[in-house]
Amino acid sequence: EVQLLESGGGFVQPGGSLRLSCAASGFTFSNYGVTWVRQAPGKGLEWVSAISGRGDTTYYADSVKGRFTISRDNSKNTLYLQMNSLRAEDTAVYYCGKGVLPAAMFSCDYWGQGTLVTVSS
Amino acid sequence: QSALTQPPSASGSPGQSVTISCTGTSSDVGAYNSVSWYQHHPGKAPKLMIYEVSKRPSGVPDRFSGSKSGNTASLTVSGLQAEDEADYYCISYAGSNKLGVFGTGTKVTVL
């Protein structure tokens, strides 16, 4: 059974940092691109970042480029999102997702349940 | 990165059909056959309903179908059921620099 489990969310002050993790199981992790999507309170879904199966290609939304870094450790079946210089507008539930096809990085057939990040003073 | 445009709401009675549009530009929806649709119940994980414009993942009922014409993609839900009531989002590939752009979302209500 495919499972994705996010962790690392929490409360942080503006300008601070957090690292989200997404532990994957039930599939060959290194074969699939994975993505982060978020939903701010009362807002719609926003695509944040994605990474290829081998980790050699990364993508970022303009809103997080230069502040967030996506990475993966295929030996640990884990995806990461390092979030620096956090702003109030980064407050959201963050979801990680697995591509339905190896290269389909934002078409995700499995998702975690999400982890809440709150940025506030 | 401008969001794709969706109607804020759509509704239908049980058994009826509802179609949701997703309008982008010649740089995203119109340029690639890479549009996906998600069903989302607030507080829960999104569910992939359609990918690559019209393909259904395993387990998604054939009541859900997707299409595209020019810069506009569409999701049609036929034979509406109560459990179809949710928010629906499209997302399109927008090139190697931007990758994914979501739509504004449509709340589907089953009357």
Side-chain angles (χ1 to χ4, degrees):
Chain A
E1 179 190 6
V2 173
Q3 288 191 330
L4 298 166
L5 182 62
E6 302 97 338
S7 61
F11 187 95
V12 62
Q13 292 187 332
S17 299
L18 276 178
R19 188 176 83 157
L20 305 184
S21 298
C22 172
S25 60
F27 65 103
T28 305
F29 184 63
S30 60
N31 284 355
Y32 290 87
V34 281
T35 200
W36 289 99
V37 162
R38 68 185 180 184
Q39 185 176 37
K43 303 287 188 180
L45 296 174
E46 180 187 11
W47 174 79
V48 174
S49 184
I51 187 168
S52 61
R54 294 189 301 179
D56 53 355
T57 308
T58 58
Y59 306 88
Y60 298 95
D62 288 344
S63 57
V64 306
K65 198 172 295 183
R67 300 187 299 122
F68 289 14
T69 302
I70 191 171
S71 62
R72 62 192 297 161
D73 185 338
N74 286 342
S75 68
K76 296 182 178 180
N77 290 347
T78 303
L79 170 70
Y80 302 101
L81 187 67
Q82 177 67 44
M83 305 186 295
N84 298 331
S85 303
L86 282 162
R87 306 167 180 167
E89 53 264 35
D90 296 318
T91 294
V93 176
Y94 286 72
Y95 299 95
C96 62
K98 162 197 166 290
V100 66
L101 299 172
M105 279 175 273
F106 64 82
S107 299
C108 298
D109 56 349
Y110 288 92
W111 294 90
Q113 286 305 301
T115 186
L116 176 63
V117 172
T118 303
V119 184
S120 175
S121 54
Chain B
Q1 241 168 337
S2 298
L4 308 177
T5 301
Q6 298 180 234
S9 62
S11 63
S13 299
Q16 290 187 330
S17 294
V18 65
T19 297
I20 304 165
S21 62
C22 169
T23 301
T25 69
S26 57
S27 297
D28 39 60
V29 175
Y32 309 98
N33 286 323
S34 193
V35 177
S36 297
W37 288 90
Y38 287 101
Q39 178 189 72
H40 190 219
H41 293 96
K44 296 194 173 183
K47 179 180 179 182
L48 183 67
M49 309 305 286
I50 296 286
Y51 68 101
E52 292 182 356
V53 176
S54 59
K55 297 179 181 178
R56 278 187 307 276
S58 60
V60 173
D62 60 6
R63 303 185 294 105
F64 291 85
S65 61
S67 62
K68 191 188 85 166
S69 178
N71 296 338
T72 298
S74 298
L75 173 73
T76 297
V77 186
S78 305
L80 268 175
Q81 299 182 5
E83 66 255 33
D84 298 334
E85 189 162 290
D87 298 322
Y88 290 82
Y89 295 87
C90 61
I91 181 171
S92 173
Y93 181 67
S96 58
N97 287 330
K98 298 181 179 180
L99 199 66
V101 179
F102 268 108
T104 48
T106 299
K107 182 175 181 59
V108 169
T109 301
V110 181
L111 302 172

